Each structure stands twice: as structure tokens, then as C-alpha cells.
Amino acid sequence: KQEVTQIPAALSVPEGENLVLNCSFTDSAIYNLQWFRQDPGKGLTSLLLIQSSQREQTSGRLNASLDKSSGRSTLYIAASQPGDSATYLCAATMDSNYQLIWGAGTKLIIKP
Amino acid sequence: DGGITQSPKYLFRKEGQNVTLSCEQNLNHDAMYWYRQDPGQGLRLIYYSQIVNDFQKGDIAEGYSVSREKKESFPLTVTSAQKNPTAFYLCASSLGDGNEQFFGPGTRLTVL
């Protein structure tokens, strides 16, 4: 059974730092992996989607990587800003049925 | 503006009542999904629909029902059989299985 884990559950860093959020999965038979952002009390905003054949995707200050063999994906945020404060969730789409398996998220706080 | 709308934003239910949550999309997406989010947990799939007039149960369908009479609409009914319905409910849509999912703003349901 696929399990997706995000560690740590919470992270606080000073503004301007580069940081990495982690997402690990137990079953490498994934179709793609998605990263989302959620602000308190709001819906989810899709940030990046990496297909299983890809190694990384970039959007602005965000870079997501995927290593199927090690069961890991990372979200790199460059030059962090207070506006980046949110909960970041990853979800793995399974090859077998295209269902998304979700991590519990990492709550990120950027201190001014 | 293209997107997904959910209403109401907040909903209160008394014991024994059925309530219906609305989800509408104008993205011309075939697939629509309902998720439940509880604090500290990943999203859990309630129901999904890949095409009009067809839908499938997700991981936690007991106590919920849906319909898909129109491509744009996928309402979720929380029945009195759902014993612990207090949660944040998120609707999403995509072009189809395995494609990027886009989310609405969510409905917070509280049982009084």
C-alpha cells in the first residue's frame, strides 16, 4: 500500500533563506507527483507536477525534483519570503488507478 | 474567469440532517473529485466522477452520496449516516485521470 510522508510537519526559517521540503513515498510505481500550497482555511493551489519520466520541474523560485528509485521528491524554494508561509502538500498519483495518495503536509513559516 | 466554485463557505448541520455541498467548474474538465481534510492528516477521497452520469466510491464513501447530471456540477450530500462529518471538504477537477487537479476554495462543515 502506497504511503506518502512529509517530514518535518512544521518548519520555521528566516526570510531570504533557501529551503527544501521533503516528500517520500513507499511504492515507486507512480504516474506523477504533484506539489500543492494551502493557505489557512483555503483550497489548494497546484504548484508543480512532475511526470514519472521527469527528474525536475521549475516555476519561478520553486524547483521540484523526483527520484523514483529512492522514493523521494523535494521542493526547493529559493530566497524565501514571508508570503511563502503556507502548508505545502505533496501527492503521488498511482500508476495502477490514477488515485492520488496524499502526504499530511509541511507547515512553513518564513520569519521577516 | 475559469475556475472551481464551492458553496457555501461555512455550513452548520444539526444531528440527523442531510446537507448538500455545491461544486461547480467552468474549466470543461471531465473528471471531478470530492476530498475530506481533517487536521494533521492527508486528504482522503470520498467520491470521484470521470464522466457525466458516472461516479465511483473513494476510500471513505460511507455516509456520503453524489450525483453527476451535468459536466459542470458535482454536488456532495452528507447524510445523517455519516457519524463524524465535521471537516473541511474540498472539490477538485481535472481533464482526466492522472492529470493535474485544480481545487475549489472548500466548505467547512460543522455539526452542532
Side-chain angles (χ1 to χ4, degrees), chain A residues 20-65:
Chain A
V20 173
L21 303 180
N22 296 299
C23 173
S24 61
F25 46 93
T26 54
D27 185 348
S28 63
I30 63 171
Y31 184 73
N32 60 42
L33 189 135
Q34 300 179 56
W35 282 93
F36 296 86
R37 168 186 172 137
Q38 185 175 31
D39 293 289
K42 306 290 186 182
L44 277 65
T45 300
S46 178
L47 297 174
L48 289 163
L49 181 151
I50 314 176
Q51 299 294 349
S52 62
S53 58
Q54 297 175 317
R55 296 285 293 182
E56 63 178 50
Q57 282 282 351
T58 298
S59 176
R61 294 182 294 110
L62 305 179
N63 177 278
S65 69

Side-chain angles (χ1 to χ4, degrees), chain B residues 5 30 35 39 41 44 52 60 69 77 81-82 84 87 100 109:
Chain B
T5 57
D30 286 315
Y35 293 95
Q41 298 186 34
R44 292 183 289 170
V52 174
I60 56 166
E69 297 177 0
T77 296
Q82 171 51 238
N84 185 24
E100 187 176 10
L109 172 63

Side-chain angles (χ1 to χ4, degrees), chain B:
Chain B
D1 283 337
I4 304 174
T5 57
Q6 290 185 243
S7 61
K9 186 174 182 179
Y10 299 98
L11 186 58
F12 298 92
R13 193 193 90 168
K14 295 181 181 179
E15 295 285 346
Q17 272 186 339
N18 293 351
V19 292
T20 297
L21 284 59
S22 169
C23 177
E24 304 276 334
Q25 55 97 2
N26 61 5
L27 300 169
N28 200 33
H29 285 169
D30 286 315
M32 297 186 75
Y33 311 83
W34 274 106
Y35 293 95
R36 170 178 171 143
Q37 187 177 35
D38 294 282
Q41 298 186 34
L43 275 67
R44 292 183 289 170
L45 182 65
I46 305 172
Y47 269 98
Y48 64 102
S49 168
Q50 295 169 310
I51 198 167
V52 174
N53 292 323
D54 187 44
F55 48 83
Q56 289 80 39
K57 294 182 179 180
D59 299 322
I60 56 166
E62 184 176 352
Y64 300 97
S65 65
V66 294
S67 63
R68 185 86 188 276
E69 297 177 0
K70 297 187 300 181
K71 188 175 185 177
E72 301 80 17
S73 179
F74 191 39
L76 174 74
T77 296
V78 184
T79 74
S80 57
Q82 171 51 238
K83 297 307 178 187
N84 185 24
T86 294
F88 191 51
Y89 290 86
L90 289 159
C91 178
S93 71
S94 74
L95 285 170
D97 278 346
N99 286 281
E100 187 176 10
Q101 292 192 12
F102 296 86
F103 282 78
T107 293
R108 185 164 299 280
L109 172 63
T110 303
V111 174
L112 301 174

Side-chain angles (χ1 to χ4, degrees), chain A residues 88-100:
Chain A
Y88 291 81
L89 298 104
C90 67
T93 303
M94 300 308 299
D95 253 343
S96 56
N97 58 12
Y98 299 115
Q99 295 302 308
L100 267 66

